[in-house]
Amino acid sequence: MEAKGLIHELFEQQVERTPDREAVRFQGESVTYAELNRRSDALAQRLRRSGIGPDKLVGIGMERSIEMVVALYAVLKAGGAYVPLDPDYPKDRLAYMVKDSQVGLVLTQRQFSGLFDELEGDVWIADELDSVLQENGKGSDNGTARTRDGHLAYMFYTSGSTGRPKGAMNTHAAIVNRLRWLQKTFVMGENDKLLQKSPYSFDVSVWEFYWPHMCGACLVIAKPKGHLDNAYLWEIIKSEQISFVQFVPTMLQTFLSADQCEDLPFLRHVFLCGEPLTPTLNERFCSLMSAQLHNLYGPTEAAVFVTNWTSDRQPERTVIPIGTAIAENAMYVLNDRYEHVAQGETGELFISGIGLARGYAGRPDLTAERFVPNPYGGEPGARMYHTGDLGRWLQDGNLECLGRNDDQVKVRGFRIELGEICSVLEQHVGVRQAVAVVREDQPGDERICAYFIPDHVYSPSVSELRGHLQQTLPDYMIPSYFVEMETFPLTPSGKTDRKQLPSPTLSRLMIAHAFVPPETFIQKELAVIWSQFFSFDQIGVDDDFIDLGGHSLVATQILVRCGDVFGVKVSLKDMLTRGTTIRALASIIETGLLEDTDDAELNAMLGELEHLSEKEIEELLK
Ligand code: AMP
């Protein structure tokens, strides 16, 4: 197999070509290629001196920033590999990941140092170190000389069905193959800008970070949590004239539902990955945007993506393919005896080729189960990866992905093993048995729902269970609803019959306190807006957004409606931190209105509205 090179070598070659071009831009700050190289070299030297080298893992617990990019390159330049330790994750989960991956060193920022203070091993405050090194740092000591492209570049944790997350170990060769293919196929140039907005704990972020630096383009980094804020995304894509961007389909759907939605002529390529692209979304995108739309498919275990299909912009399409394998990788559709199935027949998708991960860290059993000998591979020892995805070959030679053959789900692009949620839930003393499913009671709105049979001794409250899960699971894995049951419905063979699990009766019984009706005009209007997103019979002013089953995407949509109705912009952060009830959100909106309007004018306006009936107000708002 031809040598692929190392990720940071692609960057270093570009530094030679365009040292003075802008490499990274973040919230008004920017660094050139030469500067980024110098800073990451300086940190790399320190890392090398502390023993980082081939196949040595370094944890990175930072939020989006220029220092994060410096740290990512520094670890690679030192010859090691990085493990993202997202500061948004619960401390217990981070501790598990550090222990499991055996990282001996974590690079973090001052504000997150408390998350790692009880860990064994070193914790370096990268932002402080970076400024010291900026003054004293010299060039590279060629520390990566011993690292080859078969060595590890990164390790990402994904949800694990047995209750523990698992780390997939990926090599330089695998990801460099993807980067070279991207550049050859879509040709990014020096004047292009790519928006880095995928959370760095998901492997789809990998090509975002490194591709622009192969070709002199600029990496524009979204502000922390900016990827959840639709208005911000529109603003930054327009103001920075972004030409390459990636979305998970659910987020693209939300992006295209914004009021300000219009064609962005400077946007050249939009990449989707992580979830199915639906015919409706394909059609909507093509009718609104002139950019090309690409549907990338692949799991973390195969270096981000393995296939691509570029939309042919045919609005009447009912089947959206995932395309065919990219160079030096192959896709098979096999039955359970590993035989090829006929074109059109459903089988499991298997992946082989250069993109495959080395396996799961410390889990030889699971590695052997998922990465099996490849009977169709020419090379001795060739393997193929059991994706767990079902698929079929279409007549035109493309593949179609047809969902899963197991309990792994995607919710808003997040990969989740429902078994992990159940396993943590069953560790609670008050839970005898648990089952979790994804429900779509309102079209396009998928929510995780947990059903549990309480232990005989006592029945835990919803907030207790939520608190228990929050200690170990990231927010995106916390169920929206918890339903207590006496028994689970069973199939004739005695398994839990998930299809018969009742729709969560979204009644007041699930909320610990009494219903308090909205009183003021703003509260009443908010109750109307909230009721469009929740199937509750009555929403009271003190009901918590999260208890009702809210999540960041719903919050974004509510805020868009609030902007339309009240003309006040509330940030996502404000809503999720201090505006999670109608009462609290109304008060933020009132303050916003007061800032914009003369007091007397506003009071007179609100006073008038107080006397109108709900119907009259609704009429007025139309
Ligand atoms: P992750 O490891 O988070 O990238 O998730 C990988 C899984 O996401 C795959 O095994 C598929 O189930 C799903 N997936 C990724 N890309 C696509 C796509 N383009 N279409 C359908 N499903 C996808």
Side-chain angles (χ1 to χ4, degrees), residues 29 146-147 202 273 286 335 364 386 391-392 442 506 515 548:
E29 263 184 88
R146 286 182 305 121
T147 303
F202 293 97
C273 195
C286 296
N335 63 20
H386 253 290
R392 63 180 176 137
Q442 301 209 32
L506 303 178
F515 171 68
L548 293 169

Side-chain angles (χ1 to χ4, degrees), residues 154-198:
Y154 60 84
M155 180 163 112
F156 281 72
Y157 274 86
T158 66
S159 176
S161 55
T162 53
R164 290 181 295 145
K166 51 191 191 291
M169 303 181 287
N170 288 277
T171 63
H172 280 269
I175 191 66
V176 170
N177 165 268
R178 304 303 190 260
L179 293 170
R180 289 192 191 281
W181 178 85
L182 282 166
Q183 181 58 6
K184 201 168 153 204
T185 314
F186 304 113
V187 198
M188 193 183 285
E190 286 183 12
N191 293 324
D192 279 309
K193 285 186 188 160
L194 179 145
L195 181 65
Q196 198 296 303
K197 69 179 188 62
S198 302

Side-chain angles (χ1 to χ4, degrees), residues 158 202-204 249 272-277 294-302 304-305 307 320-322 349 351 385 387-390 401-404 408-410 413-416:
T158 66
F202 293 97
D203 74 334
V204 291
L272 294 177
C273 195
E275 283 176 331
L277 162 62
H294 313 287
N295 183 22
L296 302 173
Y297 159 90
T300 307
E301 288 84 343
V304 196
F305 63 90
T307 72
I320 302 286
I322 56 168
L349 298 180
I351 301 171
Y385 173 67
T387 64
D389 288 317
L390 298 171
C401 181
L402 296 164
R404 300 285 307 172
Q408 181 182 301
V409 294
K410 278 287 173 104
F414 295 113
R415 171 170 161 179
I416 298 170

